[in-house]
Amino acid sequence: MNITVGVLALQGAFREHLHLLQRASEYILKNVLDARLDITFVFHEIRTAEKLSLCDALIIPGGESTTISLVAARSNLLEPLRDFVKLQRKPTWGTCAGLILLAESANRTKQGGQELIGGLDVRVNRNHFGRQVESFVADLDLPFLHGISTGTDGAGSAFQGIFIRAPVVERILPHVQGEQKGEEQRQDTVIAPLRQAEGVEARRALSKDVEVLGLLPDRIKKAGLKASSGEGEAEAGDIIAVRQGNVFGTSFHPELTGDIRIHVWWLRQLMQRAEEFENSSLADG
Ligand code: GLN
């Protein structure tokens, strides 16, 4: 069985994602004992709707969300992307600019600047930490990685989060798109359009809760440094990783590190999903 994973290759760090996907898939084949050896990953750069239609899953990389959205619009890709994420509900992961595009609402957006794909019922605040020069690296504790050790990156060790003009999730919105009360009235805010065929009822039935998968504690943010080890209790902080059903988003750039753990985790989920589909179609048939 093939699982075809696309990386949107209009602008930004798509090559870096493809590189880590390749490494992560090799790692899974060699080291994950219960992985099905008849599952093969195929990776593609995606620039057209035709190519997108071949994909089972997609990554939208970091870069510049306004540019990615403008090029996507010019390439007639925005609507196919919305269908992919919100109607076909195929697994999609956005990093940094990709997270912005997958949000249902985004702040600090100039009029006519950018259109969203949507899929995550959240409002992101763009450039939350300031300008390019205020970029930073922070050691993150990401509980969903606790079980994953890839040798070089030990299980449970901190994940180096690279934040470059990064967004954060500043609000989790009610489930029902099209009824995001007040979002469309906010200044400098853009919201994702309701998909015609999606319909409010369909969305209500399909929607899952937004899960917070990672926080950047305040003390790390303020210091702009690595977390000091072990002292103090876990504090609330900025939301920098979320998942809602098929859609996953991170504020930071795993693709700019050599750490494959998040890519391994995400590919393993695609494998599980493929196996579930296979079993359910066997049961149906
Ligand atoms: N701030 C950028 C934007 O709005 C995202 C930055 C990034 O992807 N590193 O698109």
Short mmCIF file of all heavy atoms in Angstrom, two decimals, residues 11-13 61-68 95-101 107-109 114 125-128 130 132 135 162-167 250-253 255-256, ligand 1:
data_model
loop_
_atom_site.label_atom_id
_atom_site.label_comp_id
_atom_site.label_asym_id
_atom_site.label_seq_id
_atom_site.Cartn_x
_atom_site.Cartn_y
_atom_site.Cartn_z
N GLN A 11 6.38 28.29 -2.01
CA GLN A 11 7.36 29.20 -1.39
C GLN A 11 7.69 28.62 -0.02
O GLN A 11 6.91 27.84 0.53
CB GLN A 11 6.71 30.60 -1.23
CG GLN A 11 7.63 31.73 -0.80
CD GLN A 11 7.62 31.95 0.70
OE1 GLN A 11 6.70 31.53 1.39
NE2 GLN A 11 8.66 32.58 1.23
N GLY A 12 8.85 28.98 0.52
CA GLY A 12 9.17 28.58 1.88
C GLY A 12 9.98 27.30 1.96
O GLY A 12 10.58 26.86 0.98
N ALA A 13 9.93 26.69 3.17
CA ALA A 13 10.88 25.62 3.50
C ALA A 13 10.36 24.24 3.10
O ALA A 13 10.36 23.31 3.90
CB ALA A 13 11.18 25.67 5.00
N PRO A 61 4.34 24.30 4.37
CA PRO A 61 5.56 24.65 5.10
C PRO A 61 5.54 26.07 5.67
O PRO A 61 4.62 26.85 5.38
CB PRO A 61 6.64 24.56 4.02
CG PRO A 61 5.94 24.92 2.77
CD PRO A 61 4.53 24.40 2.92
N GLY A 62 6.58 26.38 6.44
CA GLY A 62 6.81 27.75 6.87
C GLY A 62 7.33 28.57 5.71
O GLY A 62 7.83 28.03 4.72
N GLY A 63 7.19 29.85 5.85
CA GLY A 63 7.61 30.76 4.79
C GLY A 63 6.91 32.08 5.02
O GLY A 63 6.99 32.63 6.11
N GLU A 64 6.19 32.54 4.03
CA GLU A 64 5.46 33.80 4.16
C GLU A 64 4.02 33.50 3.73
O GLU A 64 3.76 33.23 2.56
CB GLU A 64 6.14 34.85 3.27
CG GLU A 64 5.43 36.16 3.21
CD GLU A 64 5.13 36.74 4.59
OE1 GLU A 64 6.07 36.87 5.41
OE2 GLU A 64 3.95 37.03 4.85
N SER A 65 3.12 33.58 4.70
CA SER A 65 1.75 33.12 4.41
C SER A 65 1.09 33.97 3.33
O SER A 65 0.29 33.46 2.54
CB SER A 65 0.92 33.10 5.69
OG SER A 65 0.93 34.36 6.31
N THR A 66 1.40 35.27 3.30
CA THR A 66 0.78 36.12 2.28
C THR A 66 1.23 35.68 0.90
O THR A 66 0.42 35.54 -0.02
CB THR A 66 1.16 37.60 2.52
OG1 THR A 66 0.94 37.90 3.89
CG2 THR A 66 0.35 38.53 1.65
N THR A 67 2.52 35.43 0.75
CA THR A 67 3.04 34.99 -0.55
C THR A 67 2.44 33.63 -0.93
O THR A 67 1.99 33.44 -2.06
CB THR A 67 4.58 34.87 -0.49
OG1 THR A 67 5.08 36.07 0.07
CG2 THR A 67 5.18 34.62 -1.85
N ILE A 68 2.45 32.70 0.02
CA ILE A 68 1.93 31.36 -0.30
C ILE A 68 0.48 31.48 -0.74
O ILE A 68 0.07 30.88 -1.75
CB ILE A 68 2.06 30.41 0.92
CG1 ILE A 68 3.54 30.18 1.25
CG2 ILE A 68 1.37 29.07 0.63
CD1 ILE A 68 3.79 29.36 2.52
N THR A 95 3.16 24.27 9.21
CA THR A 95 4.17 24.80 10.13
C THR A 95 4.29 26.31 9.89
O THR A 95 4.47 26.76 8.77
CB THR A 95 5.55 24.13 9.95
OG1 THR A 95 6.01 24.29 8.61
CG2 THR A 95 5.48 22.65 10.24
N CYS A 96 4.20 27.07 10.96
CA CYS A 96 4.39 28.52 10.95
C CYS A 96 3.44 29.19 9.94
O CYS A 96 2.25 29.27 10.20
CB CYS A 96 5.85 28.86 10.73
SG CYS A 96 6.25 30.51 11.33
N ALA A 97 3.93 29.63 8.79
CA ALA A 97 3.02 30.21 7.80
C ALA A 97 1.90 29.21 7.45
O ALA A 97 0.75 29.60 7.22
CB ALA A 97 3.79 30.60 6.54
N GLY A 98 2.24 27.93 7.44
CA GLY A 98 1.25 26.88 7.15
C GLY A 98 0.15 26.85 8.21
O GLY A 98 -1.02 26.66 7.90
N LEU A 99 0.54 27.04 9.48
CA LEU A 99 -0.47 27.10 10.55
C LEU A 99 -1.40 28.29 10.33
O LEU A 99 -2.61 28.19 10.51
CB LEU A 99 0.24 27.20 11.92
CG LEU A 99 -0.64 27.64 13.11
CD1 LEU A 99 -1.75 26.63 13.38
CD2 LEU A 99 0.21 27.83 14.36
N ILE A 100 -0.81 29.43 9.93
CA ILE A 100 -1.64 30.62 9.69
C ILE A 100 -2.69 30.30 8.62
O ILE A 100 -3.88 30.58 8.78
CB ILE A 100 -0.77 31.81 9.23
CG1 ILE A 100 0.20 32.22 10.36
CG2 ILE A 100 -1.64 33.00 8.80
CD1 ILE A 100 1.26 33.23 9.95
N LEU A 101 -2.26 29.67 7.54
CA LEU A 101 -3.18 29.40 6.43
C LEU A 101 -4.26 28.40 6.82
O LEU A 101 -5.36 28.43 6.27
CB LEU A 101 -2.39 28.88 5.22
CG LEU A 101 -1.48 29.96 4.60
CD1 LEU A 101 -0.52 29.33 3.60
CD2 LEU A 101 -2.31 31.04 3.92
N ASN A 107 -5.18 37.27 12.74
CA ASN A 107 -4.99 38.67 13.11
C ASN A 107 -3.88 39.32 12.32
O ASN A 107 -3.04 38.64 11.78
CB ASN A 107 -4.45 38.69 14.54
CG ASN A 107 -5.54 38.94 15.52
OD1 ASN A 107 -6.64 39.29 15.14
ND2 ASN A 107 -5.21 38.77 16.78
N ARG A 108 -3.82 40.62 12.41
CA ARG A 108 -2.70 41.39 11.84
C ARG A 108 -2.53 41.10 10.36
O ARG A 108 -1.43 40.82 9.89
CB ARG A 108 -1.38 41.04 12.53
CG ARG A 108 -1.40 41.35 13.99
CD ARG A 108 -0.01 41.55 14.47
NE ARG A 108 0.00 41.56 15.91
CZ ARG A 108 1.06 41.67 16.65
NH1 ARG A 108 2.24 41.77 16.08
NH2 ARG A 108 0.99 41.69 17.95
N THR A 109 -3.64 41.12 9.69
CA THR A 109 -3.61 40.83 8.28
C THR A 109 -4.09 42.06 7.55
O THR A 109 -5.16 42.58 7.85
CB THR A 109 -4.50 39.63 7.99
OG1 THR A 109 -4.02 38.54 8.78
CG2 THR A 109 -4.46 39.23 6.55
N GLN A 114 -4.18 38.48 2.19
CA GLN A 114 -4.03 37.03 2.21
C GLN A 114 -5.37 36.37 2.43
O GLN A 114 -6.24 36.91 3.08
CB GLN A 114 -3.05 36.72 3.32
CG GLN A 114 -3.41 35.66 4.28
CD GLN A 114 -2.52 35.79 5.49
OE1 GLN A 114 -2.86 36.49 6.43
NE2 GLN A 114 -1.39 35.15 5.48
N ASN A 125 -2.50 34.76 15.97
CA ASN A 125 -1.95 36.11 15.96
C ASN A 125 -0.62 36.03 15.21
O ASN A 125 0.32 35.38 15.68
CB ASN A 125 -1.74 36.61 17.39
CG ASN A 125 -1.37 38.08 17.42
OD1 ASN A 125 -1.78 38.85 16.56
ND2 ASN A 125 -0.57 38.47 18.41
N ARG A 126 -0.58 36.64 14.04
CA ARG A 126 0.64 36.59 13.22
C ARG A 126 1.75 37.40 13.87
O ARG A 126 1.48 38.37 14.57
CB ARG A 126 0.37 37.16 11.82
CG ARG A 126 -0.57 36.34 11.00
CD ARG A 126 -0.77 36.98 9.64
NE ARG A 126 0.48 37.01 8.89
CZ ARG A 126 0.72 37.81 7.86
NH1 ARG A 126 -0.18 38.66 7.46
NH2 ARG A 126 1.87 37.77 7.22
N ASN A 127 2.97 37.01 13.61
CA ASN A 127 4.15 37.75 14.07
C ASN A 127 4.05 38.08 15.56
O ASN A 127 4.37 39.18 15.99
CB ASN A 127 4.33 39.05 13.26
CG ASN A 127 4.41 38.76 11.78
OD1 ASN A 127 4.81 37.67 11.38
ND2 ASN A 127 4.02 39.71 10.96
N HIS A 128 3.60 37.11 16.31
CA HIS A 128 3.27 37.34 17.73
C HIS A 128 4.49 37.82 18.52
O HIS A 128 4.34 38.62 19.45
CB HIS A 128 2.75 36.03 18.33
CG HIS A 128 2.38 36.13 19.77
ND1 HIS A 128 1.19 36.68 20.19
CD2 HIS A 128 3.05 35.77 20.90
CE1 HIS A 128 1.14 36.65 21.51
NE2 HIS A 128 2.25 36.10 21.96
N GLY A 130 7.11 39.39 17.35
CA GLY A 130 7.80 40.55 16.79
C GLY A 130 8.45 40.22 15.46
O GLY A 130 8.04 39.29 14.76
N GLN A 132 11.64 39.75 12.46
CA GLN A 132 12.65 38.73 12.16
C GLN A 132 13.79 38.70 13.18
O GLN A 132 14.21 37.65 13.62
CB GLN A 132 13.20 39.02 10.75
CG GLN A 132 14.04 37.92 10.18
CD GLN A 132 13.23 37.00 9.27
OE1 GLN A 132 12.02 37.17 9.10
NE2 GLN A 132 13.88 36.01 8.73
N SER A 135 13.54 36.66 16.36
CA SER A 135 13.42 35.20 16.25
C SER A 135 14.21 34.54 17.37
O SER A 135 15.18 35.12 17.86
CB SER A 135 13.98 34.73 14.91
OG SER A 135 13.28 35.36 13.86
N ILE A 162 12.14 26.31 16.71
CA ILE A 162 12.70 27.49 16.03
C ILE A 162 11.53 28.42 15.68
O ILE A 162 10.63 28.02 14.92
CB ILE A 162 13.48 27.08 14.77
CG1 ILE A 162 14.62 26.13 15.16
CG2 ILE A 162 14.00 28.30 14.02
CD1 ILE A 162 15.49 25.68 14.00
N PHE A 163 11.53 29.60 16.27
CA PHE A 163 10.42 30.54 16.08
C PHE A 163 10.90 31.73 15.25
O PHE A 163 11.75 32.50 15.70
CB PHE A 163 9.92 31.04 17.44
CG PHE A 163 9.24 29.96 18.26
CD1 PHE A 163 9.99 29.08 19.03
CD2 PHE A 163 7.86 29.83 18.24
CE1 PHE A 163 9.37 28.09 19.77
CE2 PHE A 163 7.23 28.83 18.98
CZ PHE A 163 7.98 27.97 19.75
N ILE A 164 10.41 31.84 14.03
CA ILE A 164 10.80 32.94 13.14
C ILE A 164 9.54 33.71 12.76
O ILE A 164 8.70 33.20 12.03
CB ILE A 164 11.48 32.40 11.85
CG1 ILE A 164 12.67 31.50 12.21
CG2 ILE A 164 11.92 33.55 10.95
CD1 ILE A 164 13.24 30.74 11.02
N ARG A 165 9.40 34.88 13.28
CA ARG A 165 8.16 35.68 13.07
C ARG A 165 6.94 34.76 13.20
O ARG A 165 6.06 34.74 12.34
CB ARG A 165 8.20 36.39 11.72
CG ARG A 165 9.28 37.48 11.68
CD ARG A 165 9.13 38.40 10.49
NE ARG A 165 9.08 37.66 9.25
CZ ARG A 165 8.10 37.71 8.36
NH1 ARG A 165 7.07 38.50 8.56
NH2 ARG A 165 8.15 37.01 7.27
N ALA A 166 6.94 34.06 14.29
CA ALA A 166 5.98 32.96 14.45
C ALA A 166 4.62 33.45 14.92
O ALA A 166 4.53 34.42 15.68
CB ALA A 166 6.54 31.95 15.44
N PRO A 167 3.57 32.75 14.49
CA PRO A 167 2.24 33.01 15.03
C PRO A 167 2.03 32.21 16.32
O PRO A 167 2.75 31.23 16.55
CB PRO A 167 1.33 32.46 13.93
CG PRO A 167 2.11 31.30 13.38
CD PRO A 167 3.56 31.68 13.48
N THR A 250 1.78 23.67 13.84
CA THR A 250 2.82 24.08 14.79
C THR A 250 3.30 25.49 14.43
O THR A 250 3.45 25.81 13.25
CB THR A 250 4.03 23.11 14.77
OG1 THR A 250 4.49 22.95 13.42
CG2 THR A 250 3.66 21.74 15.31
N SER A 251 3.54 26.30 15.46
CA SER A 251 4.01 27.67 15.24
C SER A 251 5.46 27.71 14.79
O SER A 251 5.90 28.69 14.20
CB SER A 251 4.00 28.45 16.56
OG SER A 251 2.75 28.53 17.10
N PHE A 252 6.18 26.67 15.15
CA PHE A 252 7.62 26.67 14.94
C PHE A 252 7.96 25.81 13.73
O PHE A 252 7.09 25.30 13.05
CB PHE A 252 8.33 26.18 16.22
CG PHE A 252 7.77 24.88 16.73
CD1 PHE A 252 8.39 23.67 16.43
CD2 PHE A 252 6.61 24.86 17.49
CE1 PHE A 252 7.86 22.47 16.88
CE2 PHE A 252 6.08 23.65 17.94
CZ PHE A 252 6.70 22.46 17.63
N HIS A 253 9.27 25.66 13.48
CA HIS A 253 9.74 25.02 12.24
C HIS A 253 10.52 23.73 12.50
O HIS A 253 11.76 23.76 12.48
CB HIS A 253 10.72 25.95 11.51
CG HIS A 253 10.11 27.17 10.93
ND1 HIS A 253 9.64 27.22 9.64
CD2 HIS A 253 9.92 28.39 11.44
CE1 HIS A 253 9.18 28.43 9.38
NE2 HIS A 253 9.34 29.16 10.46
N GLU A 255 11.07 21.54 10.49
CA GLU A 255 11.80 21.24 9.24
C GLU A 255 13.16 21.92 9.20
O GLU A 255 14.00 21.58 8.37
CB GLU A 255 10.95 21.62 8.01
CG GLU A 255 10.79 23.10 7.70
CD GLU A 255 9.67 23.81 8.48
OE1 GLU A 255 9.27 23.31 9.55
OE2 GLU A 255 9.23 24.88 8.01
N LEU A 256 13.39 22.89 10.08
CA LEU A 256 14.69 23.56 10.09
C LEU A 256 15.63 22.96 11.14
O LEU A 256 16.71 23.48 11.37
CB LEU A 256 14.52 25.07 10.33
CG LEU A 256 13.66 25.81 9.29
CD1 LEU A 256 13.63 27.31 9.58
CD2 LEU A 256 14.16 25.57 7.86
N1 GLN B 1 5.08 35.62 9.91
C1 GLN B 1 5.04 34.82 8.74
C2 GLN B 1 3.71 34.97 8.03
O1 GLN B 1 2.89 35.72 8.38
C3 GLN B 1 5.29 33.36 9.02
C4 GLN B 1 6.73 33.19 9.32
C5 GLN B 1 7.26 31.81 9.09
O2 GLN B 1 6.67 30.94 8.48
N2 GLN B 1 8.47 31.66 9.55
O3 GLN B 1 3.51 34.28 7.09
#
